[in-house]
Amino acid sequence: MTGRHPPASPEPGRGDPHVFLSLRQITKRFGHVTALDHISLDIAEGEFLCFLGPSGCGKTTLLRVIAGLETPDEGEIRLQEGRLDAVPARQRNFGVVFQSYSLFPNMTVARNVAYGLECRGWRGTRKDERVRAMLELVHLADQSDKLPHQLSGGQQQRVALARALAPEPKVLLLDEPLSALDAKVREELRGEIRDLQRALRITTVMVTHDQDEAMELADRIVLMNQGVIEQIGRAEELYEQPANRFVAEFIGRMNVLSGFGSAGEAGLIGVRPEHLELIDGAAAGADAIVGRIEKSVFLGSVTRLTLRAGDQRLVVELRGKPANAVPGATLAVRIPPQSVHRIRGAPP
Amino acid sequence: MITPSAGASASAWRLDSDRLVTFALAAAVAVPLFLFVLVPLADILMLSFATPDGFGLGNYVRYFQTPKFSRVIANSLVVSACATVITVVLAYGFAYAMHRTAMRWKTVFGLIALLPLFAPSLVQALGILFLLGRNGLINRAFDLGIDVYGFWGIVIADVLYSFPHAYLILSAALAVADARIYESAQMLGAGPLRVFRTVTLPATKYGLMSACFVVFTIVITDFGNPMVIGADYNVLATEIYNQVSGQANFEMGAVIGVVLLIPAALAVVVEKLVSRRSFAVIGDRSQPLTVRPHRVADRVAFAYSLVVCGAILSIIGIVFLASFVTLWPYNLHLSLRHYRFEVQNGIEPLWTSIHVSLMAAGIGMAVTVAAACVLRRLGPWAAQALYFLSILPAAVPGMVLGLGYILAFNDPAHPLHFLYGTLLILAICNVYHYHAQGFLVATTSVNQISRVFDEASAVLGGGLLRTLARVTLPIIWPTVASVVVFFFVRSMVTLSAVIFLITPETQLAAVSVLLLDDSGNQNQAAAFSVCIMAVVGAALLAFHFALRWLVGRDVALVR
Ligand SMILES: Nc1ncnc2c1ncn2[C@@H]1O[C@H](COP(=O)(O)OP(=O)(O)O)[C@@H](O)[C@H]1O
Ligand SMILES: [Mg+2]
């Protein structure tokens, strides 16, 4: 909770026995757009990694480079010390699930799942049993003779998952597999993906722009912005020790303030809305911030206030529904010293 | 007291007048369709079923039992099936190269592939004879004794002739695809062949079926090529001509006509089913497939396309060449003597053809656009009926329509008998021969107008005239223009329907080519073909540049 130390992301070096998949200096350009800018990353065996970031930051491109569907302009990829760069996508044995519409429309559910097995020469009862087992794993054993268009969106993504997992892939790659589904199904499937991954211990990389999804599923989150990695770490690390202003503002909410004594080298400090403490206006000390409430939103367990103090704006989250938290009222808050984040590398 | 009731009756009157206009327009569209499509068809059906002891299958039984007739049917089926398989396979490969590889010269190849659309059907046969015939270049130069007359001649000529039709259909099928499905297959470990077999082929299944039916129909109803190169290999289309023109055996002509209706009607039905089925495949969230350069595949595709386009170009090219030499292939000195057209009616038929084509273009544009407009104002039942009538001609081969016209209009009792033997009936015959295709293009254009109109008038309110000039006209012109071009080009090159309707005074250019070839003047036939292609080419270029100048962008004239 100190935020004074540099973020301690476990970054195993080359030759580390835990490193399963390793990317070095991966660069990919599309014309004038640099989608990936010298990305380096190590993934441990059995790990669940999430690529998180705003739309267009290069998540999908990075996933596709790992899959072999894009050829990087620079850099190298290794899988357990073997170079992967020259291995075509179809020989990597990585499973992929796309956002939607990736099932073969002319094949039944069972034939979809069997497809990868057939490509690898599985035959007869061995194949059928594997298909059956995979469909049971995703609770669709009774749908095996249906065609994709007869299934709901959630069921289609389950089939896609079963199809990707059937040939026992070394890595599972998921590109926003839940974003086309409605909220309830998404929640449900999110849980299933996590359980499956834990049960199979399969190394998994998932792309998402949904922070909650990443925080719930990932062992480590790779937070990306404009083709570079801003920070890698567990959800708590990103939340509690954001490496810079981008991370601080992307993960949860963060008030970024200037002109405080304990400011970092950029002259900025950050504080989470829920860490601000309400104090008695009359007893306000030197560290108090007094402002006028501009907006008050009641969210159930908390009330979110927008506070205007001088030329700065502050978001404050208070438990419950404080009586005087109405627009126009004056409020005093304090920043507890242990909650101050020093903000580095303010983006332009 | 007076005002409200007067207002009510005025609006009621306006409503009635609206309905009256709609009704009048619908009648103006439907009556000619009835007269020039349904009645001739009915006449053929009646005649084919008419026997001395009332209606029955007597004629069919009789003809099917004669060995000659069953051989002609078998010939037709075999030659059509063979040409269909070859054409569809070749066109699939070509369309695949065009849409799924990053080969060079795509624009040029795409244009060359469409060239056969702009030449009379017998030009392919003529070209093949110049190359491979008894007195062709190859046999003269190498004395190989190749005999191309008959089965293989028809097959090769009709493959070249029907190639662009198959290519256009398969092109549409291969142009769209969802990248994620292909990438999924790849990630699951499928090699190129398996991807093709399990993903590409099933996705283009309906396009393939449609192409097969369309090509089969084109070949089995083609008349020009078998006439020129078929020798004693008789097929239905030449037989119907011999029976009717040679022996005035209208009964047998009618029976053959009904037999020829079957594949054509099937083709239309399949086409309809296919266009209904293929809509669901691509969703709005799908990722379009982008082709990536692939050294080997691109080179193979390029070489293949070069061969295909080379074949198309060389056949048309050799016709050009033969028309400009003294006596192909004996005396290859350049000469313009074949362009003097000293036999028959000289160059006159070309002018007649242009005249008829201009009339057909005008009438065709008017009736198809009117049909498309009125269709939107009719109730569902009437609209269905009019739609059916409008696309029915697609199921009627030219030979059959032409025969129907003789049966209908050569009858002095027919109220329109005066049309018989005029240029107008040739133009009308062409209009209704190609009514379905012209109508479909016009429908697209009219649907565009209405959408733009509605949006614009809703947004701009008063400025309707301005909208009309600035927005609507530029949008409908190009499509209407392409209807005009379509009817003009088809009328210039068609042979099958009008062959029954010409008189010595109303002879058409494409017919001249046939007659010149028949009388042994192959070089003059070539020269005449070149004239036809030159007129068509000039018309296309003129339209292209006129439209570009008027509309300010390039417009697809062929679709
Ligand atoms: N095939 C492509 N061609 C051109 N530009 C591309 C292509 N794919 C991605 N890009 C560009 O690369 C950048 C990163 O894209 P992407 O990886 O899809 O982002 P994300 O998945 O994070 O939303 C974007 O600017 C995008 O426009
Ligand atoms: Mg993406």
PDB file of all heavy atoms in Angstrom, chain B residues 179-191:
ATOM      1  N   ALA B 179     -12.739 -14.044 -42.830  1.00  0.00           N
ATOM      2  CA  ALA B 179     -11.349 -14.410 -42.555  1.00  0.00           C
ATOM      3  C   ALA B 179     -11.226 -15.323 -41.335  1.00  0.00           C
ATOM      4  O   ALA B 179     -10.393 -16.227 -41.303  1.00  0.00           O
ATOM      5  CB  ALA B 179     -10.520 -13.152 -42.329  1.00  0.00           C
ATOM      6  N   ARG B 180     -12.075 -15.126 -40.336  1.00  0.00           N
ATOM      7  CA  ARG B 180     -11.897 -15.877 -39.092  1.00  0.00           C
ATOM      8  C   ARG B 180     -12.085 -17.367 -39.290  1.00  0.00           C
ATOM      9  O   ARG B 180     -11.463 -18.179 -38.612  1.00  0.00           O
ATOM     10  CB  ARG B 180     -12.889 -15.381 -38.041  1.00  0.00           C
ATOM     11  CG  ARG B 180     -12.592 -13.967 -37.615  1.00  0.00           C
ATOM     12  CD  ARG B 180     -13.137 -13.720 -36.226  1.00  0.00           C
ATOM     13  NE  ARG B 180     -12.994 -12.317 -35.885  1.00  0.00           N
ATOM     14  CZ  ARG B 180     -14.008 -11.471 -35.859  1.00  0.00           C
ATOM     15  NH1 ARG B 180     -15.212 -11.888 -36.141  1.00  0.00           N
ATOM     16  NH2 ARG B 180     -13.807 -10.220 -35.532  1.00  0.00           N
ATOM     17  N   ILE B 181     -12.970 -17.730 -40.232  1.00  0.00           N
ATOM     18  CA  ILE B 181     -13.204 -19.150 -40.465  1.00  0.00           C
ATOM     19  C   ILE B 181     -11.963 -19.792 -41.087  1.00  0.00           C
ATOM     20  O   ILE B 181     -11.546 -20.880 -40.707  1.00  0.00           O
ATOM     21  CB  ILE B 181     -14.461 -19.328 -41.327  1.00  0.00           C
ATOM     22  CG1 ILE B 181     -15.658 -18.924 -40.479  1.00  0.00           C
ATOM     23  CG2 ILE B 181     -14.604 -20.758 -41.808  1.00  0.00           C
ATOM     24  CD1 ILE B 181     -16.972 -18.951 -41.190  1.00  0.00           C
ATOM     25  N   TYR B 182     -11.353 -19.057 -42.014  1.00  0.00           N
ATOM     26  CA  TYR B 182     -10.129 -19.574 -42.631  1.00  0.00           C
ATOM     27  C   TYR B 182      -8.992 -19.646 -41.617  1.00  0.00           C
ATOM     28  O   TYR B 182      -8.221 -20.592 -41.589  1.00  0.00           O
ATOM     29  CB  TYR B 182      -9.733 -18.688 -43.817  1.00  0.00           C
ATOM     30  CG  TYR B 182     -10.653 -18.891 -44.989  1.00  0.00           C
ATOM     31  CD1 TYR B 182     -11.861 -18.233 -45.082  1.00  0.00           C
ATOM     32  CD2 TYR B 182     -10.328 -19.795 -45.989  1.00  0.00           C
ATOM     33  CE1 TYR B 182     -12.721 -18.439 -46.134  1.00  0.00           C
ATOM     34  CE2 TYR B 182     -11.177 -20.014 -47.056  1.00  0.00           C
ATOM     35  CZ  TYR B 182     -12.381 -19.327 -47.123  1.00  0.00           C
ATOM     36  OH  TYR B 182     -13.231 -19.551 -48.166  1.00  0.00           O
ATOM     37  N   GLU B 183      -8.913 -18.638 -40.760  1.00  0.00           N
ATOM     38  CA  GLU B 183      -7.842 -18.638 -39.764  1.00  0.00           C
ATOM     39  C   GLU B 183      -8.070 -19.721 -38.726  1.00  0.00           C
ATOM     40  O   GLU B 183      -7.111 -20.342 -38.250  1.00  0.00           O
ATOM     41  CB  GLU B 183      -7.752 -17.254 -39.110  1.00  0.00           C
ATOM     42  CG  GLU B 183      -7.145 -16.236 -40.066  1.00  0.00           C
ATOM     43  CD  GLU B 183      -7.164 -14.825 -39.518  1.00  0.00           C
ATOM     44  OE1 GLU B 183      -7.802 -14.589 -38.479  1.00  0.00           O
ATOM     45  OE2 GLU B 183      -6.527 -13.953 -40.141  1.00  0.00           O
ATOM     46  N   SER B 184      -9.337 -19.980 -38.380  1.00  0.00           N
ATOM     47  CA  SER B 184      -9.621 -21.060 -37.437  1.00  0.00           C
ATOM     48  C   SER B 184      -9.132 -22.384 -37.998  1.00  0.00           C
ATOM     49  O   SER B 184      -8.487 -23.168 -37.301  1.00  0.00           O
ATOM     50  CB  SER B 184     -11.119 -21.160 -37.165  1.00  0.00           C
ATOM     51  OG  SER B 184     -11.569 -20.012 -36.508  1.00  0.00           O
ATOM     52  N   ALA B 185      -9.452 -22.621 -39.282  1.00  0.00           N
ATOM     53  CA  ALA B 185      -9.049 -23.874 -39.910  1.00  0.00           C
ATOM     54  C   ALA B 185      -7.528 -24.009 -39.880  1.00  0.00           C
ATOM     55  O   ALA B 185      -6.984 -25.060 -39.538  1.00  0.00           O
ATOM     56  CB  ALA B 185      -9.555 -23.938 -41.343  1.00  0.00           C
ATOM     57  N   GLN B 186      -6.867 -22.911 -40.181  1.00  0.00           N
ATOM     58  CA  GLN B 186      -5.405 -22.911 -40.193  1.00  0.00           C
ATOM     59  C   GLN B 186      -4.852 -23.219 -38.807  1.00  0.00           C
ATOM     60  O   GLN B 186      -3.955 -24.045 -38.657  1.00  0.00           O
ATOM     61  CB  GLN B 186      -4.991 -21.497 -40.605  1.00  0.00           C
ATOM     62  CG  GLN B 186      -3.704 -21.392 -41.358  1.00  0.00           C
ATOM     63  CD  GLN B 186      -3.415 -19.927 -41.623  1.00  0.00           C
ATOM     64  OE1 GLN B 186      -4.329 -19.098 -41.762  1.00  0.00           O
ATOM     65  NE2 GLN B 186      -2.147 -19.581 -41.691  1.00  0.00           N
ATOM     66  N   MET B 187      -5.416 -22.579 -37.783  1.00  0.00           N
ATOM     67  CA  MET B 187      -4.926 -22.794 -36.424  1.00  0.00           C
ATOM     68  C   MET B 187      -5.178 -24.219 -35.953  1.00  0.00           C
ATOM     69  O   MET B 187      -4.468 -24.731 -35.113  1.00  0.00           O
ATOM     70  CB  MET B 187      -5.613 -21.827 -35.448  1.00  0.00           C
ATOM     71  CG  MET B 187      -5.220 -20.380 -35.597  1.00  0.00           C
ATOM     72  SD  MET B 187      -3.444 -20.087 -35.576  1.00  0.00           S
ATOM     73  CE  MET B 187      -2.996 -20.625 -33.925  1.00  0.00           C
ATOM     74  N   LEU B 188      -6.246 -24.840 -36.489  1.00  0.00           N
ATOM     75  CA  LEU B 188      -6.549 -26.205 -36.068  1.00  0.00           C
ATOM     76  C   LEU B 188      -5.662 -27.207 -36.798  1.00  0.00           C
ATOM     77  O   LEU B 188      -5.760 -28.402 -36.574  1.00  0.00           O
ATOM     78  CB  LEU B 188      -8.021 -26.514 -36.322  1.00  0.00           C
ATOM     79  CG  LEU B 188      -8.968 -25.812 -35.342  1.00  0.00           C
ATOM     80  CD1 LEU B 188     -10.388 -25.811 -35.867  1.00  0.00           C
ATOM     81  CD2 LEU B 188      -8.909 -26.464 -33.974  1.00  0.00           C
ATOM     82  N   GLY B 189      -4.821 -26.712 -37.694  1.00  0.00           N
ATOM     83  CA  GLY B 189      -3.834 -27.586 -38.315  1.00  0.00           C
ATOM     84  C   GLY B 189      -4.135 -27.983 -39.745  1.00  0.00           C
ATOM     85  O   GLY B 189      -3.483 -28.880 -40.276  1.00  0.00           O
ATOM     86  N   ALA B 190      -5.120 -27.327 -40.382  1.00  0.00           N
ATOM     87  CA  ALA B 190      -5.478 -27.730 -41.730  1.00  0.00           C
ATOM     88  C   ALA B 190      -4.508 -27.148 -42.757  1.00  0.00           C
ATOM     89  O   ALA B 190      -4.182 -25.968 -42.701  1.00  0.00           O
ATOM     90  CB  ALA B 190      -6.897 -27.258 -42.045  1.00  0.00           C
ATOM     91  N   GLY B 191      -4.060 -27.980 -43.674  1.00  0.00           N
ATOM     92  CA  GLY B 191      -3.210 -27.519 -44.770  1.00  0.00           C
ATOM     93  C   GLY B 191      -4.055 -26.892 -45.860  1.00  0.00           C
ATOM     94  O   GLY B 191      -5.282 -26.960 -45.810  1.00  0.00           O
TER      95      GLY B 191
END
